[in-house]
Amino acid sequence: QVIRCRAAVAWAAGKPLSLEEVEVAPPKPGEVRIKVVATGICRTDDHILEGSFPDVDFPVIPGHEGAGIVESVGVGVTSVKPGDKVIPVSLPHCGECSFCLNPESNYCLKSHLSEPQNLLPDKTSRFTCKGKQIHHFLWVSTFSEYTVIPEYAVAKIDAAAPLDKVCLLGCGFSTGYGAAINAAKVKPGSTCAVFGLGGVGLSVVIGCKVAGASRIIAIDINKDKFAKAKELGATDCLSPRDFKKPIQEVVTEMTGHGVDYSFEAIGLADTMIAALASCNMNTGVCVMVGLADSGSLISIDPMLLLSGRTWKGTLLGGWNMRDCIPKLVSSYLEKKFNSDLLITHTLPIAKVNEGFELLRAGKR
């Protein structure tokens, strides 16, 4: 039956979220209805509100970094059952497309960059509000107390997992941690530079530390982030505003020839180029993690790459999310990393707009 619950709806770009009562239809075949227990706020959600995330249709319920409990399942669903703890994944794994069948790929052709996920696969929505159809976001929409998701975008996790903590593994933590572990494959004893110390950048720092990096240079214009970065493993903290020369020159001088691995976790063209120029010119690897505004363009000197640098991007840290989220949750429970340190505030859904204000002010 239809469930009535609260959700934070974005009616149009440039406007704050509006807390509304919405109707959530039951799951159709191959779908799962989830009671969302906790969700993080990710910069990507802010891009929706700004209107700078590609191919989003309004009105929409944002949110994609959540954890919850299965309420009901549609016909044919076998991997989860009511009562199971789950994390929705914003990078699905259909298991059938050419990318899913490639063991080196974590991308699915059903994901938003290939075809918009504003409606469920049957091209209908499970959300209505005030008689209007409300769109989904990445099939996840965790800013609703209940949401409906295709089975292949749901990962079952350990029943012992605290949902208010592991919700971060749905996007932010996994993205940053995986950028170091999977995309860069940071080696023990290596040097790293991390541009941007939000939740994702700090997760990169954790990944570099776990991988055994000997030096981790953390870079941000907000010095309030430095204490947390050092707590998580950064050995040096730099603010570009403290130097008269470009920060890439500072990093190169500090390390001799540049770092072995650099990471851009902001999503700005200038810092992407600075991160690329900060790794050594022959064997350095630069990983783009931050999401740039839709339509952004970058102009670079080809010599930055001709000498041998590797410049690559990563989606959700390179993890095959349905397979790897349960393993990451197990690693969390085994205390192999402490992602709890990334949580700065806990707010009720009615204060979701305050959460975005904290994000924009650099307070999280």
Side-chain angles (χ1 to χ4, degrees), residues 72-253:
S72 58
V73 299
V75 174
V77 171
T78 57
S79 61
V80 295
K81 64 184 184 306
D84 284 347
K85 287 186 176 181
V86 293
I87 289 179
V89 296
S90 51
L91 195 57
H93 185 73
C94 74
E96 298 173 351
C97 70
S98 60
F99 282 16
C100 282
L101 295 173
N102 181 348
E104 295 182 4
S105 166
N106 79 314
Y107 185 76
C108 174
L109 287 172
K110 292 195 184 327
S111 53
H112 186 81
L113 294 182
S114 290
E115 56 181 60
Q117 294 176 344
N118 304 319
L119 297 169
L120 292 185
D122 70 351
K123 305 305 178 190
T124 62
S125 171
R126 301 293 164 270
F127 297 123
T128 52
C129 179
K130 299 176 181 175
K132 293 183 179 178
Q133 171 183 277
I134 308 295
H135 292 91
H136 295 248
F137 176 58
L138 302 182
W139 290 341
V140 178
S141 293
T142 56
F143 289 179
S144 175
E145 291 176 321
Y146 286 85
T147 187
V148 178
I149 305 172
E151 180 184 16
Y152 50 72
V154 176
K156 179 182 174 181
I157 61 171
D158 194 307
L163 297 177
D164 60 332
K165 302 292 194 293
V166 300
C167 61
L168 298 184
L169 276 59
C171 178
F173 174 77
S174 301
T175 296
Y177 185 72
I181 302 293
N182 299 327
K185 296 182 170 60
V186 171
K187 294 175 184 172
S190 60
T191 56
C192 302
V194 182
F195 287 71
L197 301 176
V200 174
L202 290 172
S203 300
V204 176
V205 172
I206 294 173
C208 293
K209 174 79 170 176
V210 168
S214 63
R215 192 172 191 186
I216 303 169
I217 302 168
I219 302 163
D220 201 300
I221 57 174
N222 183 355
K223 293 185 179 181
D224 292 344
K225 304 281 189 179
F226 290 175
K228 183 67 66 72
K230 289 198 170 178
E231 186 180 2
L232 293 171
T235 55
D236 306 82
C237 292
L238 306 176
S239 169
R241 290 179 175 167
D242 287 345
F243 303 92
K244 289 190 168 67
K245 62 180 73 173
I247 196 67
Q248 54 264 44
E249 292 182 20
V250 177
V251 172
T252 300
E253 288 172 9

